[in-house]
Amino acid sequence: MYTAFASPSIQQIDEKIFTNKLLSIQETIEPSIKIAEMQLPSQTGKITISAMFSAQHGSWPFESFAINNLFRVIATYQANHPRMITIKGGTITLEQLNSHINNRQVIRPFQNGYLLSYPLLIEDDAALLLENTSLYLYGHSGTAIINKGLLSIQKTNVESWFDNKPAYVINNTVFRPFIINWGGSRLQIIDSKFAKLGYNAYLVQGITTAINNNQPTKLPIQVEIKNSDFTALSALNLKNAIVSIDNSTINTFQQYGVDLIDSQFNITNNKIQAIKNNSGIRAQGNIQGIIENNAILTVNKSAIEAQQISGNLVIRKNILAKDSRHGVLLTESNANVLIKDNLFTKLTGTAIESNQFSGSAYILDNTIQDIPEYAVSFRNLTKQENAKLVFYNNKITKVSKPILRTIGIGNVSLGHNKLLGSQLYQNLLIGDLLPIQGAILEATQKYDCIVEVNTFSSTKSNINFQACK
C-alpha cells in the first residue's frame, strides 16, 4: 500500500518557458484521424441465397450467430437449414434486392421501405446501398447484416420490427437484430436514423466492428457516421476501427454510447444522453483519439471513461454534466491525456477521477462547478514516479470536497487556477500535497506563481515566491 512522503519538494517554474512547453506538448498529443473516401463499386452485384454454417472452414463471419445460439432463432422462422442472402461482386440497393429475390418470406415491401427477414452477408468485393428508404429488420427470424465489404446508409431509417409480438428470449436475453462489420469492411452512415438494434452480448450490441482471428489480414474497419440519430441500441461497439462520428445523437442506450477498443477516433459535435448501465464514451487499449464539442448527459457511470489505455487522447470543449457519475474517469492507464476547455457541472461524483495512472495528464482551462466530491482526484495504490499531472488555468467553484487530491503521482505542476466560492473555507489540496498545501497556495493564489512539485523528493524547497509578481 502506498504511503505519502512527508515533505515533497516545490519549485517555481518560469511562466514563459512553461506555457511554450505546454503548447508544444499539446501539438504532440493531437492525433490526426482521417477516413478514406468510400466509393461504391460501379458494377451491379450478384445476389444468392445459400446455407449458413456454424462450425466449418469459412464460417467465421457467423461467429456472432454461433456463440449466441442465434441459429435457434433462425430455425423458428426458416423450416430448413438456416440460409442467408449473399451479395458479391458489386453494388446492390434494397429495391434490386427485393426485385431479384421476389420472395416475401425473405424480403418484401413494408410501410415506407422494406422488411428483411433473412440474415444478409455483404462480401469483401460488394456493397449494399440504402438510400432514401427504410429498412425494417424482422426480430423473430434472426435477421442481421454481416458486413465484410461496404455498407452505405444514407437518408434511411433502420430499425427492428417485432409485429407487436414478444421478442425471442435466449438465456434470459431478448434477441434483437444487429449489424456486425468485420475486418477490412467499411461502414458509412449519413443523415439516417437507427432504433431498437442489438442486445447485451458479445458481437451483437447494435452496431459492432471486430477483426476475426480467421481473417487472413488484420485490416482495420472504417466507420463514418454523420448527421444521424441512434435510439435504443445496446452500444456502438467499435473495435480495431478508424472512426469518425460527427453531429449525431445517441440516446437511451443500454451499455455504452460509444465503446472504442484499440481504435483511432474523432468523436465531435454529438449529443449523448440517457445511457442506462455504463459510460457515455469508453476508450480501451491502444488508441489515438479526439473527443470534442460533445454534450454528454445523464449516464449511469462516467460521461467519458478511459480504461487501460495507451497512446494519445484529447478531451476538449465538451459539456459533461447533469446526473452522470464522473465527468472523466481514467483507470489503469499509461497515456498522454489532454483535458482542455471542458465544462464539468452538476455531476454526482468527481469531475475528473483517476485510479492507477502512470502517464501524463494535462488539465487546462476547464470550468468545474457544482460538484459534490472532488474537482480532480488522482489515486495510485503504488507510487508512479514517472506519472505527471499538470493542473493549470482552471476555474473552479462550488466543489464540496477538496479541489485536488493526488496520491502516488510523481510530478505535479499547478498555477493560475481560479478558486471561487465555498471551497475557500476548506482544505483545497489533500493527499501527497497536503504537507505543503500552505506553500502551494501562497505561491499560486497569493503570488500567482506556477509551481512544480516533486512528490517523492526530500530536497528542501527554498523559494522567494514574491518574485512571481
Side-chain angles (χ1 to χ4, degrees):
M1 193 75 173
Y2 169 71
T3 303
F5 278 69
S7 53
S9 67
I10 179 173
Q11 62 177 340
Q12 176 188 344
I13 306 175
D14 179 87
E15 183 167 351
K16 185 174 181 180
I17 294 174
F18 175 77
T19 53
N20 286 340
K21 186 177 180 180
L22 271 186
L23 288 173
S24 177
I25 288 169
Q26 290 177 63
E27 291 175 358
T28 301
I29 294 174
E30 186 101 8
S32 177
I33 313 299
K34 293 183 179 179
I35 300 288
E37 184 179 356
M38 299 190 192
Q39 292 187 336
L40 295 163
S42 57
Q43 66 273 27
T44 301
K46 298 177 182 179
I47 302 164
T48 60
I49 296 180
S50 57
M52 296 178 71
F53 296 95
S54 62
Q56 67 180 52
H57 180 71
S59 67
W60 62 262
F62 318 125
E63 179 185 359
S64 49
F65 290 83
I67 65 176
N68 293 300
N69 294 318
L70 297 185
F71 286 94
R72 289 168 51 192
V73 185
I74 298 173
T76 65
Y77 184 79
Q78 298 187 30
N80 301 312
H81 186 93
R83 297 191 301 166
M84 65 178 179
I85 305 166
T86 300
I87 302 172
K88 299 179 180 180
T91 302
I92 288 293
T93 66
L94 276 183
E95 183 178 9
Q96 290 170 325
L97 195 69
N98 177 68
S99 176
H100 178 88
I101 293 175
N102 193 28
N103 183 340
R104 293 176 63 84
Q105 287 294 106
V106 179
I107 184 173
R108 65 180 174 90
F110 180 76
Q111 295 184 12
N112 56 340
Y114 296 89
L115 174 65
L116 179 67
S117 301
Y118 270 35
L120 185 151
L121 172 65
I122 306 166
E123 284 287 11
D124 305 58
D125 59 354
L128 175 62
L129 172 63
L130 312 181
E131 187 174 24
N132 292 309
T133 187
S134 292
L135 174 61
Y136 300 89
L137 304 175
Y138 190 41
H140 293 287
S141 62
T143 310
I145 297 176
I146 307 156
N147 179 26
K148 294 171 61 188
L150 169 58
L151 175 57
S152 180
I153 303 172
Q154 303 180 36
K155 297 181 180 178
T156 292
N157 299 330
V158 180
E159 63 181 89
S160 61
W161 184 73
F162 289 89
D163 195 19
N164 297 317
K165 300 174 184 177
Y168 194 94
V169 177
I170 307 173
N171 297 328
N172 297 319
T173 301
V174 175
F175 166 78
R176 294 198 306 182
F178 59 91
I179 299 171
I180 172 73
N181 305 272
W182 289 115
S185 66
R186 294 163 292 159
L187 173 64
Q188 181 181 58
I189 298 172
I190 298 174
D191 297 320
S192 296
K193 295 183 178 181
F194 290 72
K196 299 179 290 184
L197 297 179
Y199 58 101
N200 303 339
Y202 182 56
L203 295 177
V204 295
Q205 294 184 351
I207 296 176
T208 300
T209 68
I211 296 178
N212 190 279
N213 291 331
N214 292 295
Q215 293 194 261
T217 56
K218 305 302 180 185
L219 295 175
I221 302 99
Q222 292 200 96
V223 178
E224 179 186 21
I225 298 174
K226 190 173 183 179
N227 303 331
S228 295
D229 299 326
F230 301 83
T231 304
L233 276 66
S234 176
L236 296 176
N237 181 238
L238 307 176
K239 184 177 182 180
N240 303 118
I242 302 171
V243 179
S244 173
I245 303 177
D246 181 62
N247 197 36
S248 297
T249 62
I250 293 170
N251 188 35
T252 322
F253 276 33
Q254 280 284 320
Q255 293 299 324
Y256 296 91
V258 184
D259 194 8
L260 301 147
I261 307 165
D262 294 325
S263 292
Q264 302 174 45
F265 52 87
N266 199 335
I267 313 297
T268 56
N269 308 308
N270 305 289
K271 186 173 183 180
I272 301 173
Q273 63 181 353
I275 308 302
K276 182 178 179 181
N277 293 327
N278 290 299
S279 298
I281 298 174
R282 181 175 70 166
Q284 294 179 284
N286 185 13
I287 65 164
Q288 297 289 331
I290 299 172
I291 302 172
E292 184 169 20
N293 279 327
N294 304 283
I296 306 177
L297 317 170
T298 321
V299 302
N300 183 61
K301 194 174 182 183
S302 301
I304 298 170
E305 177 182 0
Q307 187 179 75
Q308 297 178 332
I309 64 165
S310 59
N312 297 303
L313 176 61
V314 175
I315 300 171
R316 183 170 52 210
K317 296 182 180 178
N318 302 283
I319 299 173
L320 310 175
K322 194 180 178 184
D323 299 330
S324 302
R325 174 63 178 157
H326 303 302
V328 173
L329 175 63
L330 306 173
T331 305
E332 298 180 10
S333 294
N334 179 16
N336 298 309
V337 181
L338 173 63
I339 302 173
K340 183 176 180 180
D341 284 321
N342 302 283
L343 171 61
F344 298 85
T345 185
K346 297 187 184 304
L347 302 165
T348 64
T350 294
I352 302 170
E353 175 79 23
S354 175
N355 301 294
Q356 283 305 111
F357 182 79
S358 57
S360 297
Y362 303 89
I363 301 174
L364 316 174
D365 308 319
N366 300 283
T367 298
I368 301 173
Q369 63 187 34
D370 293 311
I371 303 296
E373 295 187 5
Y374 303 94
V376 175
S377 172
F378 275 66
R379 290 183 295 170
N380 291 336
L381 294 177
T382 57
K383 66 179 183 180
Q384 301 292 327
E385 295 192 27
N386 295 323
K388 183 180 182 67
L389 171 62
V390 176
F391 187 55
Y392 175 74
N393 202 40
N394 301 284
K395 181 179 178 182
I396 302 152
T397 183
K398 295 183 181 177
V399 174
S400 298
K401 291 185 177 180
I403 302 303
L404 177 62
R405 174 173 67 176
T406 62
I407 300 173
I409 300 293
N411 187 279
V412 182
S413 298
L414 307 94
H416 293 354
N417 296 295
K418 301 172 183 64
L419 312 178
L420 308 172
S422 60
Q423 65 264 26
L424 295 177
Y425 302 101
Q426 64 195 50
N427 277 332
L428 300 183
L429 310 172
I430 63 168
D432 292 333
L433 302 183
L434 182 58
I436 56 170
Q437 176 180 221
I440 293 173
L441 293 179
E442 181 183 18
T444 60
Q445 299 301 304
K446 183 176 181 181
Y447 294 109
D448 207 22
C449 294
I450 301 169
V451 299
E452 181 180 52
V453 178
N454 187 331
T455 305
F456 309 125
S457 171
S458 57
T459 304
K460 186 176 179 180
S461 304
N462 185 18
I463 302 174
N464 179 12
F465 291 122
Q466 294 185 38
C468 297
K469 281 190 168 181

